[in-house]
Amino acid sequence: IRGKEKLQKQYNIYKEAGRILELPSNHKGKWHELFGNDNPIHIEIGTGRGRFISTLAQQNPEINYVGIELEHELLGRVGNKAMELGVGKNLILTPADAIRLNDFFAPGEVSRIYLNFSDPWPKSRHAKRRLTYTDFLQLYRAVLKPDGELHQKTDNRDLFEFSLNMFAADDWKMQKITFDLHNSPWNEGNIMTEYEEKFSGQGMPIYRVEARPWP
Ligand code: SAM
């Protein structure tokens, strides 16, 4: 319970600072007003503890980041991480389910989507819950700019193959596909997520793809 209280406290601090938005749909089509500039918007779905998005936000002040995470409490940790790293106003967090993405962003409002180590939902009857299921791809297609991209990393080969098949079936163009990111030319500048560190530490290869919807 102590840990929970601490997380809630961290959450409240970041929320009071205006960095956690509980009603992201209020900003649909108006995120640029909130960020106070016209910089591109990149989102991560399922931030977990948030090292990835906080580090990106620190490294790229000219890009606006929105982190979406189902588990409300985890955002306390993300906020803490962002404060530790001295991240500025280019990172907003929102406790929400990505299934509602089209309520949060207007068509073409997002330049890039990151999916890192998404839950694999291994049972085939749960395939619809995978974040690269065709229904989710339609949501992403709707909010992405015409030249927008989705970047996916995972340790789960079945989820990766499923995702490649889903992208292909929905006419997404794929590039930089690797079955071993850390030994690939695309590892330079890679920011390891908390899950990535754990799985690669166990000797597991990391899969990665960049995909872009075709009109
Ligand atoms: N990306 C982090 C990493 O690589 O360390 C966390 C990976 S964890 C396995 C998956 C995260 O996605 C969990 O924190 C979970 O709560 C979140 N998540 C799952 N489904 C989601 C959804 N529909 N919308 C938002 N977040 C979701």
Side-chain angles (χ1 to χ4, degrees):
I1 293 177
R2 274 254 170 84
K4 270 201 158 183
E5 274 173 14
K6 201 172 153 204
L7 283 180
Q8 185 63 46
K9 223 174 178 181
Q10 290 172 343
Y11 179 96
N12 290 339
I13 292 172
Y14 214 59
K15 185 180 157 194
E16 276 156 29
R19 316 315 301 158
I20 292 182
L21 296 180
E22 292 179 345
L23 295 171
S25 48
N26 286 351
H27 304 279
K28 180 174 177 171
K30 297 185 287 194
W31 286 88
H32 287 294
E33 290 173 18
L34 189 73
F35 284 111
N37 58 50
D38 280 328
N39 294 343
I41 296 176
H42 293 186
I43 68 177
E44 183 185 18
I45 298 174
T47 61
R49 296 181 173 206
R51 187 206 288 150
F52 182 83
I53 198 162
S54 310
T55 308
L56 276 180
Q58 181 204 41
Q59 290 178 352
N60 305 291
E62 73 294 350
I63 293 173
N64 296 322
Y65 292 92
V66 180
I68 301 172
E69 170 55 58
L70 258 184
E71 302 276 340
H72 166 124
E73 282 158 4
L74 280 174
L75 289 181
R77 284 187 197 275
V78 189
N80 216 29
K81 186 90 216 160
M83 285 200 271
E84 258 174 45
L85 291 172
V87 171
K89 293 193 168 179
N90 63 326
L91 174 64
I92 297 270
L93 306 172
T94 184
D97 189 328
I99 196 80
R100 295 191 49 224
L101 205 64
N102 292 179
D103 297 337
F104 308 154
F105 297 98
E109 202 169 17
V110 175
S111 297
R112 188 178 295 174
I113 297 173
Y114 290 105
L115 297 179
N116 291 318
F117 301 83
S118 307
D119 299 315
W121 294 104
K123 292 187 179 143
S124 49
R125 70 169 191 278
H126 292 147
K128 290 184 173 184
R129 300 185 190 177
R130 298 176 195 150
L131 289 180
T132 45
Y133 184 70
T134 180
D135 292 11
F136 279 102
L137 296 192
Q138 304 319 308
L139 301 179
Y140 305 154
R141 194 181 258 287
V143 300
L144 277 173
K145 280 193 189 313
D147 61 347
E149 296 175 350
L150 183 152
H151 294 191
Q152 183 185 27
K153 292 198 276 188
T154 178
D155 61 295
N156 188 292
R157 187 167 178 135
D158 288 344
L159 175 67
F160 191 60
E161 289 181 357
F162 171 86
S163 302
L164 297 182
N165 284 324
M166 286 286 131
F167 291 134
D170 195 45
D171 281 336
W172 291 53
K173 185 178 186 292
M174 289 172 266
Q175 62 171 5
K176 301 185 186 171
I177 300 174
T178 171
F179 285 69
D180 187 1
L181 171 63
H182 295 174
N183 293 301
S184 80
W186 300 296
N187 194 44
E188 207 188 307
N190 179 48
I191 296 166
M192 285 225 249
T193 77
E194 286 83 352
Y195 269 70
E196 182 170 357
E197 192 168 82
K198 181 175 154 202
F199 291 121
S200 63
Q202 294 168 2
M204 292 166 73
I206 303 302
Y207 308 98
R208 183 178 183 277
V209 59
E210 295 182 7
R212 159 181 302 192
W214 274 53

